[in-house]
Amino acid sequence: MSIHLFKKVSSFSLSILLSASFISANAQKKKNLTPLVDPFIGTGGHGHTFPGATLPFGMVQLSPDTRLEGWDGCSGYHYSDTTVYGFSHTHLSGTGVPDYCDILFMPTTGVPRLNNSEYRSGFKKANEEASPGYYKTYLDKYHIKAELTATLRAGLHRYTFPYTDKANIVIDLKHRDKVLDSWIEVVNDHEIRGMRRSSSWAKDQYVYFYAKFSKPFSTYSIASDEIAQPGKQKLEGKNIKMYVQFNDPNEVLVKVGISSVSADGALKNLDADLNDFDFKQTVKQAKAAWNTELNKIIVEGGGPQSNQQPVNTNNGGYPYAQRSRPRAAPAVDHAKNKQTIFYTSLYHCMMAPNVYSDIDGQYRGLDGKVHNAQGFNYYTVFSLWDTFRAEHPLLTLIDKKRTLDFIKTFLAMYEQASTLPVWPLASNETWCMIGNHAIPVIADAYSKGIRDFDAGKVLEAMKASVNRDQFGLTAYRTNGLVLGDTESESVSKTLEYAYDDYCIAQMAKMMGRNEDHDTYSKRAQYWKNVFNEQNGFMQARVNGSWYTPFYPTEVNNNYTEGNAWHYSFFVPQDVEGLMNSLGGREKFEAKLDELFTTTDKLSGREQADITGLIGQYAHGNEPSHHMAYLYNFTANPEKTQMRLNEIFRTQYSAKPDGLAGNEDCGQMSAWYVMSALGLYNIAPGQQQFMIGLPQFDKATVTLENGKKFVVTNSGASVGLNNTYLQGMNLAKKPYNKLFIDYKDIADGGEFDVFTGRLPNQLFVQDLERPTSKISEQLIVPNPAFITTGRTFKQQINVAMNCADPQAKIYYTLDGSIPNASSNVYLRPLTFTGTTTVRAIAIKEGKTSFVNSGTFTLFNSNLKITQLSKYLPNYAASGDDALVDGAEGTANWRMGNYWQGFQGKDLEVVVDMGQVKPIKHISLGTLQDTGAWIVFPKQVEYQLSDDGKNFKTVATVATKVGIESLASQTQTFTASINGRARYIKVVAKQYGQLPAWHESKGNQSYIFVDELKVDQ
């Protein structure tokens, strides 16, 4: 149509025509990408995803429940299962803790059964089908086809029954976690409503629902404690179930709205989203919603057969070892299915967070009260410890409006709870994981132009969140680090608090708040206080000393889901500072090389989250996710590309176990999406995106400012081994940096990357390296004591060191605070009595925090012989730990006081040197049932004069059962009033954990500390 024709029409007609033309153009441009999404990826192995129907960031996740318990049942579904209990309306995507699976519906035939062991059904993988917004299976027991789809706040079920006069739909409100209260009410023969209030990971979760059936049910029955209450229209209790029954209905559709506020809210959500029972149209709309989101990034090419349809993952299940490492995907599999992996990853990035406010804006807040979201949607399910790394930076690029809603949600949470969220679930703060990582999400968004919120209020919230008295923050502020004496996971907390403080400093700088910037820039360097320059690792401090014994591969309570390898590179805000501390660029690179190539195995406690190992790099858990990009700071950045290629090819595949670890609400997939684009922001809040290894011939990112940023890599499809950068162009001009600034992305344009099979040293050696350093308000690291322990028998030598070799150390022994006039440390000190040492480091007039330790002389004449050896990772201070005078507390995760035994009884012999009178004997023990630590069933005390022939003189049984879940201590004391030289102590293990325990069948631990003999 020519422009002249437009001149002849009215302005109203012109508007209509232009609108139609725009819609038509958009429709032509939008691709149908949903066939490239395979929702079964991640449902096997330890991915913990679910395959059911949901919309992007939807309130409802309508999906089958096939598993009621266990770590691999976190989402309620596992690909290896062949039994389905029903279809519930809420699910978590890829978490490491189970919850949700609320409001279960299950179609059955015959006599209605309300016990899940009776109403459940088998199903075959060959009959399962899933795509964005749609799920289907076939219930073998009942010959029922079940189909599911969803809208933003409602779910739609379609059940096709065989011929029967007893077609039932069971509604089970007791399903899964602990019920605090629930009720169901029959409104009429087409409608029911109800409420479920439960406690699990979220300690107080409300879900109201309103259900409408496409056909009238002929009869119904509500049961309490599985006892039917005929004629009851409404029942309330903690075990409420019901069924509705139809006479040969052929097909029944059920639409269900949910709400955290009220049944009326659920009804409003339902009526707003679904005004009819048009299943086909609802599926179509769901796919359209997904296509809108998926079309924000269009990828082309990427490898042989990259445009083929997704592989069929529905051809039968296979077993999984409970905590085995996922199988690595063959390289050819990755290449053929690269687009499927990409779009499934992008799909997973949009499964959470979830809308939590109703259609009218009402929601239940963190304070348990009902609030109204004015002008924004309120969200829940923020796995911030995971998602601040790549998920939120991705959404900041392609979904600024929703990111703004996230920030307004955070502010609402702050107003309700006086702190920014850590891990909010169903408007419950779970306090799961560490750090305060709403802060980098906000700072990153603000730095990238998302500013339609009260920045002053945000800065206030940030400061309040890191200055509260919780999780070691007081010690962090007072001492410059979290102390291992008083807080578990002290190393990880120190490092992550320091990064959060850096983000506060950047926020303050952008706002012109110089005093705050200076304060938090200092705190951003507190990582230096857990850096041990003697070994190059981040290490805990206990009693002012480096934690010993130290093994970098050991998974222990000084780190969060990891070990020293996994955390010693987490200084994204000051990479160059870390590099200098390690001795320069070459040593930094050598340390990275060792990370990826070491053959040392994990040691210490079992930690299921640590998977996807390449050396000690663990892609299956988030602390490792930025590490491959750190080579960009070195003289050999081609190693970034080499390691990325290895991760792409071994840690992702288009199979149910195609994720190296938990999906974690989008982070595992977001790493893939960003890295496949060739861009990764290792420190959200900074403007630089590391350049990596683009995986597609062409990737077009549509930005909300109307511009497009295009990344090309013509070598992506030529061969699988085009791994190394050969050249780059930005806007058709040569580009000579190993990073690209956010502004260059936001301005749109084309970024061309050329790759080849061999490293091009001539090209990369002159490329500009990224920057990540703190150069203002530099601090002096705390000195540390180097010694064998906190207690000693005769004498102890105490050395001191500081990570800054140019700093001088001053100390006192009289309890006073040291200063520049105190003793200068020159050589190790020797103590023969109990002594408290305080020390500081000073450089150019700047002073570190005070480091303090007390070294205690104990005069015990007791000699311990271990007949059953303690576990090496729970060794405390060694053989003398039971008699060294240092007693552990109920918080066993700190201080290294407790000795642990598993799979065998504790058995030790005490030699007092000669026959002596004995009045009492006592043994301190600990119980933390959730951590498998259980009080001994009993403790036996036996006496002997010769150390060979023992006689039992007392047996003390536990006073506390395994059911008592609090972390607590108990002393087993016996009155003896006898004489002997030798005492044998035997503490009997509880044994296998009981059936009700989450880890049933595993062997319990005994934890002991301090054996006392009263003479």
Side-chain angles (χ1 to χ4, degrees):
M1 185 179 295
S2 72
I3 188 66
H4 303 290
L5 179 61
F6 279 105
K7 291 181 179 179
K8 297 179 182 178
V9 300
S10 67
S11 60
F12 176 78
S13 299
L14 176 61
S15 175
I16 294 296
L17 286 168
L18 286 173
S19 176
S21 174
F22 178 76
I23 292 172
S24 175
N26 273 355
Q28 290 175 1
K29 291 179 181 178
K30 191 175 293 184
K31 294 185 177 182
N32 180 17
L33 298 172
T34 58
L36 287 167
V37 174
D38 183 355
F40 289 107
I41 295 176
T43 60
H46 306 309
H48 296 182
T49 63
F50 63 88
T54 187
L55 256 62
F57 309 98
M59 179 185 288
V60 165
Q61 307 87 37
L62 183 53
S63 190
D65 291 350
T66 65
R67 191 170 292 201
L68 303 180
E69 58 188 16
W71 190 63
D72 279 332
C74 286
S75 74
Y77 179 96
H78 195 272
Y79 190 79
S80 63
D81 295 335
T82 56
T83 297
V84 62
Y85 293 90
F87 309 97
S88 61
H89 292 76
T90 61
H91 292 82
L92 294 173
S93 180
T95 60
V97 183
D99 205 329
Y100 275 22
C101 300
D102 300 290
I103 319 299
L104 183 90
F105 280 57
M106 177 64 172
T108 70
T109 59
V111 177
R113 306 292 185 186
L114 296 180
N115 186 294
N116 61 17
S117 64
E118 296 178 322
Y119 67 62
R120 65 185 179 179
S121 172
F123 70 102
K124 295 181 178 64
K125 292 298 170 187
N127 293 326
E128 267 194 307
E129 181 182 330
S131 59
Y134 176 76
Y135 174 85
K136 179 183 74 173
T137 193
Y138 187 81
L139 305 181
D140 295 340
K141 182 176 180 179
Y142 305 111
H143 306 289
I144 296 172
K145 181 171 71 172
E147 297 172 277
L148 312 173
T149 188
T151 64
L152 191 66
R153 295 181 174 89
L156 181 58
H157 312 236
R158 180 164 69 180
Y159 301 135
T160 304
F161 292 89
Y163 172 79
T164 178
D165 60 353
K166 290 183 175 63
N168 318 299
I169 298 177
V170 174
I171 300 98
D172 188 344
L173 299 190
K174 190 178 185 297
H175 175 67
R176 267 276 272 211
D177 50 21
K178 179 181 177 182
V179 177
L180 302 175
D181 192 20
S182 64
W183 58 263
I184 280 182
E185 180 180 13
V186 176
V187 179
N188 55 50
D189 64 0
H190 279 79
E191 301 177 16
I192 63 171
R193 60 184 180 181
M195 184 277 289
R196 184 175 193 269
R197 185 183 177 196
S198 62
S199 178
S200 184
W201 189 9
K203 298 304 180 186
D204 192 6
Q205 179 198 359
Y206 286 82
V207 182
Y208 293 86
F209 74 96
Y210 203 105
K212 295 184 178 182
F213 299 84
S214 61
K215 295 178 180 179
F217 41 87
S218 56
T219 186
Y220 71 88
S221 180
I222 309 177
S224 178
D225 295 323
E226 299 186 19
I227 299 174
Q229 304 284 328
K232 288 287 187 179
Q233 188 175 349
K234 181 178 181 180
L235 273 182
E236 182 176 1
K238 295 184 178 180
N239 183 4
I240 301 298
K241 303 176 183 180
M242 76 171 296
Y243 70 86
V244 295
Q245 191 172 87
F246 306 84
N247 184 6
D248 189 23
N250 183 27
E251 180 180 275
V252 176
L253 289 95
V254 193
K255 53 183 181 178
V256 183
I258 64 172
S259 166
S260 68
V261 175
S262 66
D264 286 342
L267 176 59
K268 290 178 183 177
N269 291 339
L270 178 60
D271 287 346
D273 278 16
L274 284 169
N275 57 13
D276 55 32
F277 291 92
D278 192 333
F279 190 88
K280 184 176 180 180
Q281 180 63 20
T282 305
V283 171
K284 182 178 179 181
Q285 291 171 350
K287 292 192 181 303
W290 277 111
N291 267 316
T292 296
E293 300 299 325
L294 297 174
N295 270 265
K296 290 179 177 179
I297 305 177
I298 300 295
V299 298
E300 302 171 41
Q305 303 179 52
S306 60
N307 292 310
Q308 71 174 29
Q309 292 297 309
V311 295
N312 179 14
T313 59
N314 308 331
N315 57 356
Y318 42 86
Y320 292 84
Q322 182 63 14
R323 294 193 176 188
S324 63
R325 177 183 174 185
R327 296 196 303 270
V332 66
D333 173 75
H334 179 267
K336 288 182 178 179
N337 302 292
K338 203 179 288 185
Q339 288 195 17
T340 294
I341 297 169
F342 181 86
Y343 280 111
T344 303
S345 295
L346 189 56
Y347 169 81
H348 281 148
C349 291
M350 298 170 179
M351 304 288 273
N354 304 114
V355 170
Y356 203 61
S357 51
D358 291 347
I359 190 68
D360 61 4
Q362 290 195 95
Y363 66 91
R364 191 174 300 275
L366 282 183
D367 55 3
K369 299 177 182 178
V370 175
H371 301 268
N372 198 288
Q374 298 288 341
F376 72 100
N377 280 323
Y378 180 93
Y379 287 80
T380 192
V381 188
F382 287 95
S383 186
L384 292 166
W385 182 81
D386 307 287
T387 57
F388 85 87
R389 304 166 197 267
E391 162 86 352
H392 283 287
L394 170 64
L395 296 178
T396 299
L397 275 179
I398 65 173
D399 204 335
K400 292 182 180 295
K401 171 60 174 70
R402 190 168 272 110
T403 297
L404 178 61
D405 280 4
F406 295 161
I407 296 172
K408 291 182 177 180
T409 296
F410 296 161
L411 277 174
M413 290 176 174
Y414 169 67
E415 291 169 357
Q416 295 154 19
S418 301
T419 184
L420 290 170
V422 173
W423 214 123
L425 170 63
S427 266
N428 284 244
E429 180 53 81
T430 66
W431 302 116
C432 189
M433 307 312 295
I434 63 172
N436 299 278
H437 296 321
I439 292 170
V441 174
I442 300 171
D444 192 51
Y446 193 79
S447 74
K448 293 176 172 63
I450 302 174
R451 300 191 173 186
D452 190 16
F453 56 85
D454 187 339
K457 190 76 170 179
V458 159
L459 187 60
E460 171 195 310
M462 288 177 169
K463 291 162 62 178
S465 297
V466 299
N467 290 317
R468 67 188 195 276
D469 183 12
Q470 193 177 21
F471 304 133
L473 280 164
T474 299
Y476 172 80
R477 296 190 299 271
T478 305
N479 301 285
L481 75 158
V482 179
L483 299 174
D485 313 71
T486 58
E487 190 75 19
S488 62
E489 304 174 23
S490 61
V491 178
S492 299
K493 287 175 180 174
T494 298
L495 294 170
E496 298 202 22
Y497 291 158
Y499 171 63
D500 291 336
D501 283 341
Y502 166 81
C503 291
I504 297 176
Q506 300 314 298
M507 188 76 185
K509 184 176 183 178
M510 289 183 284
M511 295 173 62
R513 302 281 284 270
N514 295 332
E515 184 176 346
D516 284 333
H517 171 259
D518 292 348
T519 296
Y520 290 95
S521 289
K522 291 178 183 177
R523 287 169 52 158
Q525 300 170 67
Y526 287 178
W527 65 267
K528 297 175 181 178
N529 294 326
V530 292
F531 176 77
N532 186 348
E533 89 286 356
Q534 292 186 319
N535 57 29
F537 286 100
M538 302 294 178
Q539 194 169 340
R541 299 280 195 97
V542 176
N543 194 46
S545 305
W546 296 115
Y547 177 96
T548 57
F550 174 73
Y551 309 101
T553 60
E554 181 178 83
V555 180
N556 60 36
N557 292 308
N558 298 318
Y559 306 93
T560 300
E561 295 183 1
N563 61 25
W565 274 116
H566 303 146
Y567 266 94
S568 292
F569 293 97
F570 188 75
V571 192
Q573 75 276 19
D574 194 10
V575 174
E576 291 163 84
L578 175 61
M579 184 185 298
N580 292 334
S581 294
L582 282 166
R585 181 179 289 185
E586 289 183 5
K587 290 185 177 179
F588 179 71
E589 181 182 338
K591 192 79 170 181
L592 280 171
D593 288 343
E594 189 180 1
L595 165 74
F596 282 100
T597 61
T598 179
T599 58
D600 291 344
K601 304 301 181 184
L602 291 174
S603 60
R605 72 162 187 259
E606 181 184 18
Q607 184 72 49
D609 305 86
I610 303 174
T611 55
L613 289 169
I614 303 173
Q616 281 290 311
Y617 174 90
H619 193 73
N621 210 24
E622 279 66 24
S624 291
H625 276 190
H626 69 293
M627 293 179 184
Y629 290 95
L630 296 179
Y631 281 113
N632 275 355
F633 291 86
T634 75
N636 291 289
E638 71 277 2
K639 291 181 181 179
T640 282
Q641 300 134 44
M642 176 185 70
R643 292 302 173 193
L644 290 176
N645 186 52
E646 183 177 10
I647 295 167
F648 283 130
R649 290 156 63 99
T650 64
Q651 305 302 315
Y652 295 88
S653 76
K655 295 180 180 179
D657 63 347
L659 296 175
N662 300 162
E663 168 59 21
D664 284 318
C665 297
Q667 172 57 28
M668 198 64 61
S669 289
W671 185 96
Y672 188 93
V673 171
M674 293 300 296
S675 295
L677 294 176
L679 308 169
Y680 198 87
N681 190 345
I682 66 166
Q686 293 181 350
Q687 296 295 300
Q688 294 180 350
F689 286 79
M690 299 296 107
I691 292 173
L693 183 63
Q695 292 295 291
F696 297 96
D697 293 27
K698 184 178 182 181
T700 303
V701 182
T702 299
L703 306 170
E704 287 169 290
N705 60 9
K707 298 179 180 180
K708 296 181 186 297
F709 184 72
V710 180
V711 180
T712 69
N713 175 14
S714 58
S717 289
V718 174
L720 297 176
N721 297 316
N722 283 339
T723 300
Y724 300 102
L725 290 178
Q726 308 295 314
M728 296 179 287
N729 289 336
L730 180 63
K732 304 302 181 183
K733 296 179 181 178
Y735 192 73
N736 65 344
K737 301 176 183 179
L738 281 165
F739 61 90
I740 187 165
D741 288 322
Y742 169 75
K743 184 179 183 302
D744 290 325
I745 298 173
D747 287 345
E750 190 162 316
F751 180 52
D752 302 310
V753 175
F754 307 100
T755 57
R757 293 173 178 263
L758 298 174
N760 187 338
Q761 289 287 352
L762 289 176
F763 170 67
V764 301
Q765 66 183 2
D766 293 327
L767 291 178
E768 182 180 339
R769 274 28 177 191
T771 58
S772 174
K773 64 181 178 180
I774 298 173
S775 54
E776 302 173 292
Q777 305 298 321
L778 297 180
I779 69 167
V780 179
N782 294 358
F785 305 135
I786 304 168
T787 186
T788 54
R790 65 171 72 84
T791 61
F792 60 97
K793 285 187 176 181
Q794 295 178 336
Q795 70 177 37
I796 191 170
N797 295 323
V798 178
M800 303 183 199
N801 73 327
C802 178
D804 188 336
Q806 297 178 2
K808 283 188 176 182
I809 300 175
Y810 299 83
Y811 69 92
T812 63
L813 304 177
D814 59 4
S816 62
I817 303 300
N819 55 43
S821 299
S822 301
N823 302 305
V824 178
Y825 174 75
L826 298 173
R827 63 186 60 85
L829 309 177
T830 300
F831 305 137
T832 57
T834 298
T835 306
T836 296
V837 190
R838 290 187 169 89
I840 58 171
I842 299 178
K843 177 183 176 181
E844 299 174 355
K846 294 181 179 180
T847 303
S848 73
F849 288 93
V850 176
N851 187 53
S852 180
T854 298
F855 301 93
T856 304
L857 173 70
F858 68 96
N859 293 315
S860 174
N861 294 317
L862 304 178
K863 180 181 179 181
I864 298 288
T865 300
Q866 299 273 350
L867 300 183
S868 56
K869 191 64 176 175
Y870 46 80
L871 297 168
N873 49 316
Y874 298 118
S877 59
D879 289 352
D880 288 331
L882 296 183
V883 292
D884 65 2
E887 297 186 44
T889 67
N891 188 351
W892 59 273
R893 292 178 172 87
M894 65 185 191
N896 198 25
Y897 292 94
W898 294 94
Q899 282 189 344
F901 302 78
Q902 185 188 31
K904 56 187 174 184
D905 297 335
L906 160 71
E907 193 170 352
V908 299
V909 172
V910 181
D911 182 357
M912 297 192 295
Q914 63 186 57
V915 175
K916 295 181 179 180
I918 302 170
K919 294 181 180 179
H920 303 94
I921 309 174
S922 63
L923 179 69
T925 65
L926 178 132
Q927 179 162 295
D928 186 348
T929 299
W932 305 11
I933 305 167
V934 184
F935 286 136
K937 290 182 177 179
Q938 62 185 40
V939 177
E940 298 176 3
Y941 297 108
Q942 304 171 19
L943 301 184
S944 172
D945 290 338
D946 60 8
K948 297 178 181 179
N949 302 297
F950 286 89
K951 179 181 178 180
T952 300
V953 294
T955 301
V956 184
T958 181
K959 297 178 181 178
V960 181
I962 190 174
E963 297 83 6
S964 182
L965 301 180
S967 184
Q968 58 195 299
T969 60
Q970 179 182 187
T971 302
F972 288 75
T973 302
S975 296
I976 303 299
N977 294 320
R979 295 176 62 84
R981 174 176 175 175
Y982 299 94
I983 305 169
K984 181 183 285 187
V985 182
V986 180
K988 297 290 187 180
Q989 284 277 6
Y990 176 86
Q992 289 188 345
L993 298 172
W996 55 263
H997 197 283
E998 183 181 44
S999 301
K1000 63 182 179 182
N1002 288 286
Q1003 293 291 331
S1004 64
Y1005 289 81
I1006 287 177
F1007 268 38
V1008 293
D1009 185 34
E1010 224 47 37
L1011 175 64
K1012 297 179 181 179
V1013 180
D1014 179 12
Q1015 302 174 14

